[in-house]
Amino acid sequence: MGEVIVTMEVGSDGVALITISNPPVNALAVPILAGLKEKFAEAVRRDDVKAIVLTGKNGRFSGGFDINVFQKVHKTGDISVLPDVSVALVTNTLEDCKKPIVAAVQGLALGGGLEVAMGCHARVAAPKTQLGLPELSLGVMPGFGGTQRLPRLLGLSKAIDMMLTSKPILSEEGLKLGLIDAIVPPQDLLKVSRQWALDIAEARKPWVRSLHRTDKIGSLSEAREIIKNARQLVKRTAPNMPQHQACLDVIEEGIVHGGYAGVLKEVKAFNQLVVSDTSKGLVHIFFAQRTISKVPKVTDVGLKPRAVKKVAVIGGGLMGSGIATALILGNINVVLKEVNSEYLQKGIKTIEGNVRGLVARKRLGQAQAEKALSMVKGVLDYSEFRDVDMVIEAVIENVPLKQKIFSEIEKVCPPHCILATNTSTIDLNLVGEKIKSQDRVVGAHFFSPAHVMPLLEIVRTEKTSAQVILDLMTVGKKIKKSPVVVGNCTGFAVNRTFFPYTQGAHILLHLGVDLFRIDRLISSFGLPMGPFQLQDLAGYGVAVAVGKEFANAFPDRTFRSPIVDLLIKSGRNGKNNGKGYYLYEKGSKPKPDPQVFPIIEEAKRQVNIMPGGKPISITDKEIVEMILFPVVNEACRVIEEGVVVRASDLDVASVLGMSFPSYRGGIVFWGDLVGAKHIYESLKKWSEKYSNFYKPSRFLEERARNGVPLSAPLSTSASSRSRM
């Protein structure tokens, strides 16, 4: 890594060039902010300096404030480590400087980087520079005056949209909207910026302090209307996230009471948000996603990934065609194999539909789509397999069938070929039991729909080679997935951790709690849908098959409800045939179906666990806890057995694979926020009162008793027993 430093060179033209250097993105670390203050003070003092240009080294302006500082605040709760940037640096030092400052912006100016640039008196940019304020995605808001200056430079509507969505724009759009004053080729950037700064000094160009501008804000009543509409949108789209409303409050303050009042309120609001649970959760996930790529004895032993240019996918059903789509979009050639031409045509058509769907939603250009579709070839035999680098088997969950396929592909594929299965529950040792090359067997568990969902669970057995794992991790990144390496057990990490989710919902149903109330509360908690609607969506065949797997693996903590069998008997199959717990009609939202109530009554009659035959009385909070605490409990077992490398990997997997709300930091992080002691005591009480299903795990009990966070690393003796 290069040096973390701010440099200043004064040219013969009288312009001081101040450069930020902190590779790779010139983050505004605390020493950089101190260096900026020092260099600007020097430039102002010196008589040979007429004007100043601020830029970043190596073609990047700045990626923003160093968020490692947030982690420090979250660990200690001490906000005094946050430097005073907004008032002391951006407003007093830059904007109110006695000499003009031009920001020469290239590559990216994000977050604090853009806020510093907006404090300058003009902005000259290279083409295709990214400009944005993504702070809300970390649970905070722009804290260096961005909530005040962006609306004054861009106009209120667009500025609010950029902040609420955290999406950047390019300098070309910035120029049209007034955020950028000129776009010039990279090689001319410094020359033009220097001249621009001199032109301001000599009154040939305007000296603009953005905080004092009001021409783009519109009238007070127009501004209030725009903010009111934004508030209503946020209420619907981000109900559990305080940073959105707080950001709008601060923007409004500046419009009503002036920019400087807005800056002062912004500092206060930022300091409150940075210690909120939402910010803790989002910052945790941000760092956790960067840690999944570190796998002991795989990524730290000097291995280099091999090129995977051609992959065979066996099975063109929903999963197989989704996996094939993800691969061709990542520029990897695919051979899709099916058992007959009817199934093969159907698989190819699904892939075409997936790709065309992305074009229709403007996520993919027409030319890219054509190129992707030219990379897939359908086959009915193994003749094309002789030069593939990897095979992914994606057929139905049937052990003898999978074993037969693995024996066949071992014979026809080259000796370096990775042999992967997309099974979601079957033990990998069984799948590869009959073949010699067990070091090449690995699980590549995609989540449905495979070309959309971002998680790839890489499942290793005790025999899988480190090279195979590294190669699959590299393929995962190439096709824009987040690969999490996990150990081999029933359900692996994600499905196993979440198997109590539906079971807990079934228990509550049998205790007399309304299923639609349960779904409503879980949706309000932040999951995309409740457990019953999820069961409808997945189809009851899946529920029955998966239920059997888990009942066999964990008989001591499985609750068997007859509800799904009764629904199937009454001709329901969830969304597949339009009738489940809900009714599904094309073009309208799922509607609760009151006709399921008699079926539920029958289920409760067959398995009667209601104390004294009466429905239990329960609060909303307890319902959420009775569904999610058993999930945290199973996560504890997954951690203790070493199925995941570290607890934060399970947090990432829960967010990306099960859509657990990222602002709650993932399932283990959320468990720690709630507190192991409370979870342990609640589960113990319910296990005595209702069912063994709730029995706390040994790991949870130990952590609760000793006051140790669930996410704290395992002791060395425990990790030596691990499946990793």
Side-chain angles (χ1 to χ4, degrees):
M1 296 297 259
E3 210 178 348
V4 179
I5 193 169
V6 177
T7 58
M8 182 171 92
E9 292 164 48
V10 181
S12 55
D13 56 358
V15 176
L17 177 67
I18 295 179
T19 307
I20 301 166
S21 170
N22 182 11
V25 294
N26 296 327
L28 301 173
V30 175
I32 293 284
L33 294 164
L36 283 171
K37 246 174 141 170
E38 188 190 305
K39 294 298 180 212
F40 275 104
E42 187 189 331
V44 171
R45 265 198 323 271
R46 281 174 62 163
D47 294 336
D48 58 340
V49 173
K50 295 185 214 160
I52 303 164
V53 169
L54 174 64
T55 194
K57 205 172 172 184
N58 295 330
R60 288 183 170 136
F61 185 74
S62 171
F65 184 58
D66 174 12
I67 64 171
N68 288 297
V69 179
F70 291 170
Q71 266 195 323
K72 244 184 228 158
V73 173
H74 293 160
K75 281 194 182 105
T76 60
D78 175 15
I79 59 168
S80 69
V81 296
L82 294 169
D84 174 7
V85 181
S86 187
V87 176
L89 179 69
V90 182
T91 306
N92 298 350
T93 306
L94 301 182
E95 196 164 52
D96 294 347
C97 185
K98 303 285 177 282
K99 296 175 182 178
I101 307 167
V102 172
V105 183
Q106 190 179 353
L108 44 80
L110 298 174
L114 180 60
E115 292 178 280
V116 165
M118 290 191 291
C120 299
H121 305 116
R123 284 149 296 284
V124 178
K128 301 265 182 289
T129 300
Q130 283 192 60
L131 311 163
L133 295 178
E135 286 87 346
L136 274 79
S137 66
L138 291 172
V140 290
M141 65 164 79
F144 300 171
T147 61
Q148 305 307 307
R149 291 185 182 87
L150 194 66
R152 285 167 170 75
L153 288 167
L154 266 191
L156 189 56
S157 274
K158 181 65 189 176
I160 286 177
D161 178 59
M162 271 179 74
M163 287 185 259
L164 294 186
T165 61
S166 292
K167 283 190 181 140
I169 60 171
L170 292 178
S171 46
E172 287 73 6
E173 192 182 344
L175 179 68
K176 265 191 219 132
L177 296 167
L179 177 57
I180 296 296
D181 297 292
I183 291 183
V184 298
Q187 62 273 24
D188 300 336
L189 183 63
L190 292 180
K191 187 178 83 188
V192 173
S193 300
R194 295 179 91 104
Q195 189 53 52
W196 200 293
L198 288 169
D199 286 350
I200 297 175
E202 288 151 22
R204 287 191 297 273
K205 279 202 164 57
W207 189 317
V208 182
R209 292 185 173 89
S210 27
L211 197 59
H212 302 269
R213 279 180 63 176
T214 54
D215 52 303
K216 290 207 171 173
I217 297 292
S219 72
L220 190 56
S221 61
E222 284 169 338
R224 282 198 151 134
E225 187 60 24
I226 290 169
I227 290 170
K228 189 180 108 188
N229 292 337
R231 283 192 196 286
Q232 284 166 346
L233 175 75
V234 164
K235 247 195 195 117
R236 281 201 316 278
T237 55
N240 297 333
M241 292 197 257
Q243 69 271 34
H244 294 70
Q245 293 290 1
C247 182
L248 292 168
D249 290 345
V250 168
I251 293 169
E252 188 163 16
E253 173 82 9
I255 288 165
V256 177
H257 298 291
Y260 193 66
V263 163
L264 296 178
K265 181 162 177 149
E266 182 193 83
V267 171
K268 231 163 130 177
F270 182 93
N271 288 347
Q272 285 166 348
L273 287 171
V274 78
V275 290
S276 67
D277 286 350
T278 307
S279 175
K280 288 175 186 168
L282 288 164
V283 169
H284 169 72
I285 280 293
F286 176 86
F287 283 109
Q289 279 187 272
R290 278 145 187 78
T291 317
I292 55 173
S293 57
K294 297 184 175 85
V295 181
K297 300 198 179 104
V298 173
T299 57
D300 56 359
V301 289
L303 289 173
K304 295 237 176 331
R306 300 173 297 188
V308 174
K309 292 179 182 155
K310 184 176 174 185
V311 175
V313 177
I314 300 177
L318 188 68
M319 282 312 288
S321 55
I323 294 167
T325 307
L327 290 164
I328 58 174
L329 290 172
N331 209 20
I332 295 172
N333 288 296
V334 169
V335 177
L336 182 72
K337 181 187 179 299
E338 256 300 355
V339 288
N340 61 40
S341 48
E342 183 197 340
Y343 284 178
L344 185 60
Q345 281 317 108
K346 209 173 153 193
I348 298 284
K349 270 210 160 57
T350 308
I351 294 169
E352 284 171 2
N354 290 343
V355 172
R356 304 252 180 263
L358 292 169
V359 175
R361 294 199 296 282
K362 304 250 187 307
R363 299 225 185 119
L364 194 67
Q366 192 57 49
Q368 292 162 292
E370 296 311 323
K371 180 174 188 292
L373 290 171
S374 72
M375 296 183 78
V376 66
K377 180 180 182 181
V379 298
L380 295 170
D381 59 28
Y382 288 124
S383 55
E384 287 280 338
F385 280 50
R386 61 182 178 277
D387 61 346
V388 296
D389 302 304
M390 174 158 77
V391 178
I392 301 177
E393 164 276 303
V395 301
I396 54 168
E397 297 285 65
N398 173 317
V399 174
L401 175 63
K402 287 181 189 286
Q403 288 178 336
K404 176 173 175 280
I405 289 170
F406 268 69
S407 298
E408 289 168 358
I409 57 179
E410 185 185 33
K411 291 187 189 100
V412 294
C413 296
H416 73 275
C417 177
I418 296 166
L419 310 175
T421 171
N422 175 54
T423 178
S424 56
T425 44
I426 298 172
D427 184 332
L428 255 64
N429 291 320
L430 273 178
V431 176
E433 194 177 53
K434 304 230 170 13
I435 67 169
K436 293 187 194 77
S437 334
Q438 295 191 0
D439 57 328
R440 291 191 276 145
V441 175
V442 68
H445 180 217
F446 290 79
F447 289 72
S448 183
H451 63 295
V452 178
M453 290 295 276
L455 181 65
L456 170 61
E457 247 184 336
I458 296 177
V459 189
R460 58 163 161 198
T461 69
E462 282 164 15
K463 292 176 181 156
T464 311
S465 79
Q467 184 67 58
V468 163
I469 297 161
L470 184 68
D471 293 347
L472 189 47
M473 287 173 74
T474 309
V475 170
K477 285 176 199 155
K478 193 174 175 193
I479 62 174
K480 297 193 168 59
K481 302 290 176 206
S482 296
V484 173
V485 177
V486 301
N488 178 34
C489 65
T490 302
F492 316 132
V494 177
N495 286 344
R496 168 157 171 204
T497 298
F498 278 82
F499 99 86
Y501 176 65
T502 314
Q503 301 240 324
H506 283 171
I507 290 187
L508 285 177
L509 190 71
H510 281 266
L511 288 170
V513 182
D514 173 32
L515 83 97
F516 300 116
R517 181 185 175 199
I518 295 170
D519 270 5
R520 224 176 21 251
L521 290 169
I522 293 296
S523 296
S524 314
F525 175 83
L527 279 129
M529 61 186 77
F532 296 100
Q533 198 186 334
L534 183 66
Q535 219 170 34
D536 270 359
L537 185 69
Y540 299 155
V542 173
V544 171
V546 172
K548 273 189 194 136
E549 287 287 337
F550 286 118
N552 291 336
F554 313 117
D556 58 319
R557 54 182 187 277
T558 303
F559 175 74
R560 294 165 192 256
S561 166
I563 184 69
V564 176
D565 292 331
L566 290 170
L567 287 165
I568 294 169
K569 235 187 226 147
S570 71
R572 291 168 186 267
N573 192 22
K575 199 179 175 189
N576 287 339
N577 71 351
K579 275 196 318 194
Y581 299 102
Y582 295 80
L583 290 173
Y584 298 85
E585 281 166 21
K586 225 181 163 78
S588 67
K589 281 186 171 161
K591 291 188 189 73
D593 184 2
Q595 292 186 344
V596 298
F597 291 131
I599 303 170
I600 291 166
E601 286 311 311
E602 175 54 26
K604 287 198 295 211
R605 197 187 57 72
Q606 288 184 18
V607 176
N608 184 4
I609 58 167
M610 283 194 285
K614 288 197 176 70
I616 61 167
S617 160
I618 187 170
T619 65
D620 289 354
K621 182 171 173 276
E622 283 171 321
I623 288 177
V624 172
E625 292 181 344
M626 284 182 85
I627 301 257
L628 292 176
F629 285 3
V631 179
V632 175
N633 197 26
E634 197 61 36
C636 288
R637 294 185 179 101
V638 165
I639 294 166
E640 187 184 29
E641 290 171 27
V643 176
V644 285
V645 176
R646 55 187 78 80
S648 65
D649 285 9
L650 196 49
D651 286 329
V652 172
S654 69
V655 168
L656 300 181
M658 289 305 292
S659 303
F660 191 84
S662 56
Y663 55 83
R664 297 193 188 276
I667 190 69
V668 188
F669 186 86
W670 176 74
D672 274 335
L673 278 181
V674 174
K677 188 168 178 286
H678 173 54
I679 297 174
Y680 168 71
E681 285 167 356
S682 306
L683 287 167
K684 194 167 178 342
K685 179 179 78 187
W686 302 328
S687 68
E688 287 158 6
K689 209 168 167 183
Y690 304 123
S691 162
N692 210 32
F693 165 77
Y694 292 107
K695 192 179 172 202
S697 65
R698 186 185 59 191
F699 179 89
L700 174 64
E701 183 175 355
E702 277 173 14
R703 296 275 160 123
R705 289 218 167 121
N706 300 325
V708 179
L710 302 175
S711 56
L714 292 174
S715 64
T716 39
S717 61
S719 49
S720 63
R721 296 197 303 268
S722 119
R723 291 164 193 265
M724 297 300 259

